[in-house]
Amino acid sequence: MTTPDPIGGQPRRHSAGVDPLGTLRTPTDPECDVFLTGTVFLDIIFTGLDSAPVRGTETWARGMGSSPGGVANMAIALARLGLRTSLAAAFGDDHYGEYCWDALEQGEGIDLSRSRTVPGWHSPVTVSMAYDNERAMVSHGHEAPPPEGSLPACPPRTRAAVASLVPGRTEDWVAEAARQSTRIFADVGWDETGRWDLGALADLEHCEAFLPNAEEAMRYTRTSCPRAAARALADRVPLAVVTLGADGAYAVDGATGETAEVPAIAVAALDPTGAGDVFVAGFLTGTLAGWPLADRLAFAGLTAALSVQEFGGSLSAPGWVEVAAWWQYVQSCSDQDPAALRRYGFLDALLPAPTRPWPLRRAVPTIGFRRSA
């Protein structure tokens, strides 16, 4: 999978030829590894803000970029980890829509055969402002008209799918995918109703894994501890994973009773946009590859940590090249905790030989520069 150099050079390779499912593939495999559907936004990200904008004043940001956002964050994160990814989404027929389509299909190798361009419909836009390791967002958009805006009635045959659960809403494609033995991974957003009723997440019954953050998990389970929340969720879904922010992540396998907890990697965060999507992509990759639970948590946390050191929710997602460069770098640092290094020793059998030193300069997330004459 590649991302075009915005200055017009050769594409940069992220997967480095690594196929995490290579030993598992057979001639009867599904046509894709992961299926997603949702809304693609054009994200405009401002970074380097000292504080939130103040009413009545003009605030200058030290950094700015644009990239595909929304469900594109997850799609790109999965594709850069070597998974064959299919996305069904509506795209506007404006320049924003054209840019997002090209970045996903040509730049990242994502299958858009189930996506559609909607004439006369403008692309949804989100402006994200990052400061103090947090972010504030302003979005605008309208639902795409049917049939282009409708979710697919018959999802493709695939190993896994990612569903974003919404209270009170049922998506027919989720149940159909589960009937086809697709493994469903689910995340959830903030409950705007304020009810935080697990029973309102009807599609949860079809899911293999549920990955809320700590605040969401505690509110849904009426608990005061994220670990207790994970244990309560494991009664409702085979695998519950609760992200703990700077404290890492905790998981409970409801079938076996196994638990795992992995601390977060301390990084200087530039922009947290999309970090949750990258975490899900990393965890899903390890799950499909059959890794131990703790290794999956560690890998998911690592990919999320690498992503927040760049701005842009989708183009900051790391591939195997970035992971390999990071792993080589941390092993060369004399001040590293040997026990912490051992936690990531499983990477040795997965990673390609590093081709460039850490840190890497990634593609600048922007709509593009013209080639010089």
Side-chain angles (χ1 to χ4, degrees):
M1 308 305 173
T2 60
T3 298
D5 183 332
I7 304 177
Q10 292 300 311
R12 297 193 315 110
R13 186 163 297 278
H14 293 273
S15 65
V18 175
D19 182 355
L21 308 184
T23 61
L24 304 176
R25 298 196 185 279
T26 70
T28 59
D29 275 349
E31 59 185 284
C32 61
D33 296 324
V34 189
F35 171 75
L36 307 94
T37 187
T39 302
V40 174
F41 286 76
L42 186 281
D43 280 357
I44 302 172
I45 308 102
F46 291 99
T47 63
L49 294 167
D50 296 321
S51 63
V54 177
R55 181 178 179 180
T57 67
E58 181 179 19
T59 300
W60 280 79
R62 291 187 291 275
M64 189 278 288
S66 301
S67 61
V71 71
N73 294 340
M74 182 85 68
I76 290 177
L78 290 162
R80 289 188 174 184
L81 293 176
L83 298 185
R84 300 168 183 170
T85 303
S86 179
L87 171 64
F91 289 78
D93 64 349
D94 50 15
H95 289 311
Y96 289 169
E98 292 174 1
Y99 162 71
C100 289
W101 185 293
D102 183 68
L104 292 166
E105 184 179 60
Q106 302 300 321
E108 305 293 339
I110 294 168
D111 169 37
L112 297 182
S113 62
R114 293 169 184 82
S115 293
R116 298 291 182 270
T117 297
V118 183
W121 181 66
H122 72 76
S123 300
V125 176
T126 291
V127 175
S128 176
M129 294 163 282
Y131 55 91
D132 294 336
N133 295 327
E134 286 294 342
R135 59 177 176 157
M137 296 184 292
V138 178
S139 296
H140 173 72
H142 303 281
E143 185 174 353
E148 290 85 353
S150 302
L151 297 180
C154 297
R157 180 170 165 262
T158 179
R159 297 175 188 268
V162 181
S164 291
L165 304 184
V166 177
R169 190 171 79 187
T170 300
E171 304 290 2
D172 292 341
W173 75 265
V174 174
E176 178 60 28
R179 282 192 287 272
Q180 297 178 17
S181 299
T182 297
R183 304 168 72 174
I184 310 294
F185 294 71
D187 60 10
V188 69
W190 191 258
D191 185 358
E192 299 294 345
T193 70
R195 291 191 290 269
W196 298 99
D197 177 15
L198 265 179
L201 302 179
D203 286 331
L204 191 61
E205 66 174 305
H206 304 298
C207 297
E208 174 177 327
F210 184 41
L211 299 95
N213 64 34
E215 184 68 20
E216 294 159 351
M218 290 187 292
R219 286 178 179 267
Y220 271 117
T221 58
R222 309 295 193 271
T223 58
S224 58
C225 168
R227 292 161 187 82
R231 292 191 291 271
L233 290 172
D235 292 333
R236 302 288 297 271
V237 67
L239 184 58
V241 181
V242 175
T243 55
L244 310 175
D247 293 326
Y250 181 79
V252 180
D253 187 322
T256 66
E258 179 186 4
T259 64
E261 183 168 359
V262 175
I265 296 174
V267 297
L270 174 64
D271 178 14
T273 304
D277 296 317
V278 175
F279 183 95
V280 173
F283 188 82
L284 186 155
T285 299
T287 301
L288 292 186
W291 301 350
L293 182 58
D295 290 353
R296 287 180 263 166
L297 281 187
F299 184 72
L302 167 60
T303 54
L306 295 182
S307 77
V308 302
Q309 296 177 77
E310 304 283 343
F311 64 84
S314 59
L315 299 187
S316 67
W320 293 103
V321 171
E322 286 86 355
V323 176
W326 172 85
W327 181 230
Q328 181 187 54
Y329 169 74
V330 295
Q331 291 182 95
S332 69
C333 296
S334 59
D335 60 347
Q336 294 297 313
D337 178 2
L341 285 178
R342 286 195 295 274
R343 169 62 272 165
Y344 295 90
F346 69 93
L347 293 173
D348 284 331
L350 299 168
L351 296 176
T355 57
R356 287 179 291 167
W358 179 266
L360 303 180
R361 182 182 181 277
R362 300 186 193 155
V364 177
T366 184
I367 291 179
F369 297 101
R370 294 188 182 277
R371 293 176 183 267
S372 58

